[in-house]
């Protein structure tokens, strides 16, 4: 394989990278339909990608050059002066 700088996946690259794909029956739970896939790659086999974990929303305090302290709320994207945030 010589695809160290590939910008797009095409059929040729996929055929060289993937050995086979297992497709399981679709399941529906609580109105959400999911389907499991196992992709077996050449040379490394199948890999397991962990479930995504929600990152907690944290307020970030920013000290500007004009000595104005601001707070940034990651949950709603608002920036407010620190005095108003408290």
């Amino acid at each position: 394989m010589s695809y160290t700088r590939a910008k797009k996946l095409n059929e040729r690259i996929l055929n060289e990278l993937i050995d086979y794909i297992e497709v399981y029956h679709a399941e529906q739970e609580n109105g959400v339909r999911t389907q499991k896939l196992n992709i077996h790659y050449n040379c490394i086999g199948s890999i397991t990608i962990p479930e995504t974990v929600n990152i907690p929303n944290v307020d970030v305090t920013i000290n500007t050059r004009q000595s104005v302290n601001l707070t940034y709320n990651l949950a709603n994207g608002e920036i407010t002066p620190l005095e108003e945030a408290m």
Side-chain angles (χ1 to χ4, degrees):
M1 273 187 284
S2 60
Y3 301 110
T4 57
R5 295 178 190 234
K7 293 184 181 184
K8 279 176 104 176
L9 289 176
N10 59 34
E11 185 177 348
R12 182 177 175 198
I13 295 172
L14 287 176
N15 286 332
E16 287 187 30
L17 293 177
I18 296 174
D19 189 23
Y20 64 96
I21 300 173
E22 293 176 302
V23 181
Y24 294 85
H25 290 286
E27 298 177 0
Q28 188 162 349
E29 186 176 324
N30 297 327
V32 177
R33 185 180 166 139
T34 59
Q35 189 166 14
K36 182 179 175 184
L37 298 174
N38 276 343
I39 302 172
H40 294 265
Y41 298 93
N42 290 323
C43 303
I44 63 169
S46 178
I47 60 172
T48 302
I49 299 173
E51 294 289 326
T52 57
V53 178
N54 291 337
I55 299 171
N57 293 324
V58 179
D59 290 342
V60 176
T61 302
I62 304 166
N63 298 322
T64 65
R65 288 196 289 184
Q66 288 83 19
S67 298
V68 176
N69 294 328
L70 302 173
T71 185
Y72 175 69
N73 184 296
L74 296 174
N76 58 19
E78 292 180 356
I79 297 176
T80 55
L82 190 58
E83 302 82 47
E84 291 179 17
M86 294 182 141

